[in-house]
Amino acid sequence: MYMEQAAVAAIFIGTIGALVFSHWRAANIFSAALLCLFALQISTVQTSLEKAVNPGVVTLLALMLASRALERTSLLKLFARHALEKNETRTLIKLTGLSALASSFLNNTAVVAALLRPIKNQNKVPASKLLIPLSYAAILGGTTTLIGTSTNMVVNSFWMDTGNPSLSFFAFFPVGIALLGCGLVVMLLNRYMLPTIHVREEQKQYFVDIKVMPESPLVGKSISDNHLRNLNSFFLVEIIRRGQSIAPVRPTHIIEAEDRLVFSGEINHIEELQTLPGVKLFAEHSGLMSDNLVEVVLASNSGLIGKTLKSAGFRAMFDAAVVGLKRNGLSVPGKLGEIILKEGDNLLLAAGRDFRSRKNLDKHFILVTDVVVEQPLSLKANWGVIGGFSLVMVATICQWVSLLQGLVFFIAACLATKVVKSAELKRLFPFDLWIIITAALTMADAMISSGLSATLAESLHSTFSEQSVWFAFLGILLVTVVLTELVTNNAAAALMFPLAISLAESFSVNPLSFVMAVAFGASASFLSPYGYQTNLLVFNTGGYKFIDFVRYGLPLTIVYISITALLVPYFFPF
């Protein structure tokens, strides 16, 4: 038994060391640990398979897949469009509030990813003043509910694996809401510590022509009232009205039926223009608007040079319609279909089925790349997805169905209505996270069955024997906080859980208080860009330095630990 404990301890320490000091992927490290357990016959493949289909683990995977449908809705993008204004304080309050609220019910990484582009592309407030608070607010919001963060779901899967019923949807709420409220205040007061960084990156700007249909609700309202100046990825260059150009476009200009609006923006995000009510892109007139576009450059020997798309019979010639045009970064006046083409023009094409088989492509074009453009959901589909997910949450909270059952039906409905595609879910399946949790659950089982957890707990118990159990609780919390900054939140939770359970048992107290210390401690990633995925997202985008996270996150970390240390024992008594 002693040799087995020593082997498990070596694997445990080796796993932590590899996570901290190596550049290997966490999934590879945990896989290696799992193979070591198999090789030494400490654990079996059957045990790991049982852990892999733990109801808590499967629920987490289902939730991450279901969140894909919610990502496709325009709710977050529309809110972000209205939240961004020139007043830095008001913008910060709106964005952090939105991020926290959304992260209570959605995967917080998906929330930050959805808001990243609108913040990056606006020029009202430097993005560096908003992105770290956005990430921290998402982390804090995620602590309020069971599904708000993968950390809570991971801890719940471990809790269920020990034979306990699933934690309730709002089990984390009393402590989480206090952390959220105090955290937002600290971030707001500390906002002057954020750097001002102007990040410029080369974007593929295209000129896109859309037509305002007579029934459009945009008609009769000004540019400002229609929020056409607040688009995330496009700028309104000019209006073509009855053959005449209106440029520059002022906020007071009134939209009329049959107006042609010429926008300049990023080709990858054309779906934003499609969300405007009652408009059609040029390609949609030809019935060719697709979610896979082709970018080409007009060759010097092309017979299209000097002609317009209309006069050249472009649609019939290539089975493709032009969605956007780019010419040396300069504005091109006039309707897209009536622009005279020049050598070197970049064209964005919505290609039909026969496009690739046309034998005249090489003569006219140089193929640049295929561009994947996500088609926006219709208004009906938007409300259907939001309503369906809300129904699942209500049914779960009221205990009419389990969360897993509700999510299974929700995913099936999204597949049936083609809101998401099966191929898309296969691509997005969180295989790495599944491997990490499965391996960690197997390791935890080995630590308990070998007696290592009990031995460590007894040693720690003797250390804290002259102190109250609260000090042991605080020790677990602090070690988890440190570990989550060194490795990742899920890895920290997985590694600390078995030790927390054993330590609670050695004191003969309620293990849930120690479990909550692990859950909240693993989410306290405010000092490093590497401990949490949302931090890593904003780190690369905002042009930050490591010290920026330390400077801004240190006061928040101190407040977070203090509140957790006081409130967890109150709501989850020893």
Side-chain angles (χ1 to χ4, degrees):
M1 183 62 72
Y2 175 77
M3 291 298 294
E4 188 173 313
Q5 288 185 19
V8 174
I11 294 171
F12 182 78
I13 295 170
T15 300
I16 295 177
L19 287 168
V20 175
F21 298 110
S22 78
H23 296 290
W24 299 336
R25 288 168 51 199
N28 292 344
I29 293 170
F30 276 96
S31 296
L34 190 60
L35 290 174
C36 288
L37 291 173
F38 292 160
L40 297 174
Q41 297 184 342
I42 297 172
S43 189
T44 64
V45 174
Q46 183 179 356
T47 299
S48 288
L49 290 175
E50 290 173 357
K51 304 301 181 185
V53 294
N54 172 302
V57 176
V58 178
T59 302
L60 171 59
L61 299 177
L63 180 64
M64 298 189 77
L65 294 177
S67 67
R68 173 56 189 153
L70 291 158
E71 288 175 45
R72 292 206 59 202
T73 64
S74 56
L75 189 63
L76 284 175
K77 296 174 185 176
L78 290 174
F79 191 96
R81 188 183 302 171
H82 296 283
L84 293 164
E85 52 181 279
K86 291 186 177 180
N87 185 288
E88 181 184 323
T89 302
R90 284 203 300 266
T91 298
L92 188 61
I93 292 172
K94 287 180 180 179
L95 279 175
T96 52
L98 165 66
S99 177
L101 177 63
S103 296
S104 298
F105 299 95
L106 306 178
N107 179 279
N108 48 22
T109 302
V111 170
V112 172
L115 296 174
L116 207 59
R117 180 162 49 88
I119 294 173
K120 179 183 66 175
N121 291 343
Q122 54 83 39
N123 56 7
K124 298 171 184 176
V125 179
S128 60
K129 292 287 187 180
L130 303 173
L131 291 178
I132 289 181
L134 177 76
S135 175
Y136 288 177
I139 294 172
L140 291 169
T143 65
T144 59
T145 64
L146 174 64
I147 67 170
T149 171
S150 59
T151 307
N152 290 354
M153 294 293 291
V154 168
V155 169
N156 186 51
S157 66
F158 275 82
W159 179 248
M160 293 174 68
D161 193 60
T162 58
N164 295 289
S166 173
L167 296 169
S168 67
F169 189 87
F170 288 113
F172 301 87
F173 187 78
V175 179
I177 195 66
L179 291 171
L180 173 59
C182 294
L184 291 179
V185 171
V186 171
M187 286 196 293
L188 188 62
L189 294 176
N190 200 33
R191 66 187 183 278
Y192 300 107
M193 300 296 291
L194 292 164
T196 301
I197 303 170
H198 298 285
V199 179
R200 293 183 179 181
E201 60 180 47
E202 186 179 351
Q203 299 174 343
K204 293 186 175 181
Q205 298 288 328
Y206 268 82
F207 297 101
V208 182
D209 171 11
I210 68 173
K211 181 179 181 180
V212 180
M213 308 307 289
E215 67 276 10
S216 173
L218 301 179
V219 174
K221 297 179 183 178
S222 69
I223 300 296
S224 177
D225 291 340
N226 284 316
H227 302 288
L228 295 180
R229 288 291 190 189
N230 296 331
L231 297 179
N232 301 323
S233 301
F234 286 89
F235 177 76
L236 182 58
V237 176
E238 66 176 336
I239 300 174
I240 309 297
R241 179 175 297 162
R242 292 183 288 276
Q244 302 297 316
S245 172
I246 301 175
V249 181
R250 297 189 179 90
T252 54
H253 277 133
I254 305 298
I255 298 292
E256 294 183 8
E258 305 295 331
D259 276 352
R260 307 294 288 259
L261 309 181
V262 180
F263 289 90
S264 172
E266 299 177 67
I267 59 174
N268 300 67
H269 306 301
I270 288 177
E271 82 280 358
E272 183 176 22
L273 294 182
Q274 291 179 281
T275 62
L276 297 177
V279 303
K280 279 192 175 183
L281 270 72
F282 183 80
E284 288 178 312
H285 305 166
S286 305
L288 279 174
M289 193 63 202
S290 65
D291 53 7
N292 288 296
L293 306 182
V294 180
E295 185 183 6
V296 299
V297 175
L298 200 59
S300 57
N301 58 341
S302 172
L304 299 174
I305 295 173
K307 299 180 180 179
T308 66
L309 297 173
K310 187 175 181 180
S311 65
F314 194 95
R315 165 69 171 86
M317 185 181 296
F318 301 107
D319 189 31
V322 177
V323 175
L325 186 147
K326 175 183 176 183
R327 179 177 295 166
N328 299 326
L330 301 175
S331 177
V332 183
K335 296 181 183 179
L336 192 58
E338 298 177 0
I339 294 172
I340 296 176
L341 299 174
K342 293 185 178 181
E343 175 188 349
D345 280 352
N346 284 63
L347 304 177
L348 190 65
L349 309 180
R353 293 181 179 179
D354 296 332
F355 174 76
R356 299 279 183 178
S357 63
R358 297 295 167 102
K359 300 185 183 300
N360 56 355
L361 294 184
D362 292 340
K363 178 182 176 182
H364 296 284
F365 306 125
I366 301 170
L367 180 65
V368 178
T369 182
D370 288 337
V371 181
V372 177
V373 176
E374 186 176 89
Q375 295 296 308
L377 298 179
S378 65
L379 182 61
K380 183 178 179 181
N382 265 281
W383 284 113
V385 170
I386 295 169
F389 189 78
S390 300
L391 181 61
V392 171
M393 293 300 103
V394 170
T396 301
I397 294 169
C398 296
Q399 297 184 340
W400 296 336
V401 297
S402 69
L403 179 58
L404 179 56
Q405 286 177 311
L407 290 173
V408 167
F409 280 105
F410 177 76
I411 294 172
C414 290
L415 287 170
T417 55
K418 297 184 179 180
V419 169
V420 294
K421 300 174 182 177
S422 58
E424 192 175 18
L425 294 185
K426 290 177 185 177
R427 178 173 55 84
L428 295 173
F429 186 83
F431 188 76
D432 280 10
L433 182 59
W434 190 33
I435 288 291
I436 290 171
I437 298 174
T438 300
L441 282 169
T442 306
M443 190 184 302
D445 181 79
M447 290 177 68
I448 294 170
S449 62
S450 67
L452 177 61
S453 291
T455 301
L456 290 173
E458 289 173 8
S459 176
L460 290 171
H461 183 271
S462 62
T463 303
F464 292 107
S465 59
E466 296 181 3
Q467 309 291 336
S468 69
V469 67
W470 184 83
F471 283 94
F473 161 83
L474 183 61
I476 289 291
L477 174 62
L478 291 175
V479 172
T480 308
V481 170
V482 172
L483 197 57
T484 199
E485 298 291 4
L486 295 175
V487 291
T488 64
N489 55 316
N490 291 325
L495 292 169
M496 289 302 298
F497 185 90
L499 187 58
I501 286 286
S502 297
L503 189 56
E505 290 175 351
S506 72
F507 276 95
S508 300
V509 296
N510 177 17
L512 195 54
S513 55
F514 281 72
V515 168
M516 287 296 173
V518 171
F520 285 108
S523 288
S525 184
F526 306 113
L527 297 175
S528 164
Y530 303 110
Y532 210 95
Q533 285 183 322
T534 59
N535 289 351
L536 199 58
L537 277 176
V538 302
F539 179 55
N540 292 329
T541 304
Y544 295 111
K545 297 178 181 178
F546 191 98
I547 191 63
D548 294 326
F549 285 82
V550 177
R551 187 185 296 116
Y552 187 68
L554 184 59
L556 180 58
T557 300
I558 294 171
V559 171
Y560 185 100
I561 293 173
S562 302
I563 293 174
T564 303
L566 292 173
L567 292 188
V568 168
Y570 177 80
F571 288 105
F572 305 95
F574 299 124

